[in-house]
Amino acid sequence: MIDDAIVVLENIFRFVEEKGMSPFEAGGRNRRHRLAVMATTFSLVVIFIPVSFMSSISGRFLYQFGITAAVAVLVSLLVSFTLTP
């Protein structure tokens, strides 16, 4: 899985290095790339949530894994949009 904060930091670093912006300005300019980060996150959530609700024996084993992975990815999205910039 990809961590959302890494994508946000790489975009900020790219703006600072290539365009010569200040880090604060680059963090604000990074808003344009949020759609790509959200699409990655929600595609992972869409994969893990149905896995946790499978009705077979393997579904019972994967329930906690699916819920934990989906929540971890959503928390990663929250952190990448609030704390990382």
Side-chain angles (χ1 to χ4, degrees), residues 4-78:
D4 300 329
I6 293 171
V7 175
V8 172
L9 279 175
E10 285 181 355
N11 280 330
I12 291 172
F13 182 76
R14 183 175 57 92
F15 284 141
V16 169
E17 288 295 313
E18 290 179 2
K19 298 184 180 180
M21 296 180 182
S22 69
F24 186 76
E25 184 182 4
R29 186 69 63 96
N30 195 29
R31 292 185 183 131
R32 295 180 187 167
H33 300 284
R34 288 187 179 183
L35 185 61
V37 174
M38 287 185 348
T40 303
T41 300
F42 291 138
S43 66
L44 288 172
V45 169
V46 166
I47 290 170
F48 284 119
I49 291 294
V51 165
S52 45
F53 292 111
M54 292 187 324
S55 61
S56 62
I57 289 181
S58 61
R60 289 184 183 173
F61 288 120
L62 294 175
Y63 176 75
Q64 291 89 4
F65 171 73
I67 297 296
T68 303
V71 169
V73 170
L74 288 172
V75 169
S76 172
L77 177 71
L78 177 70

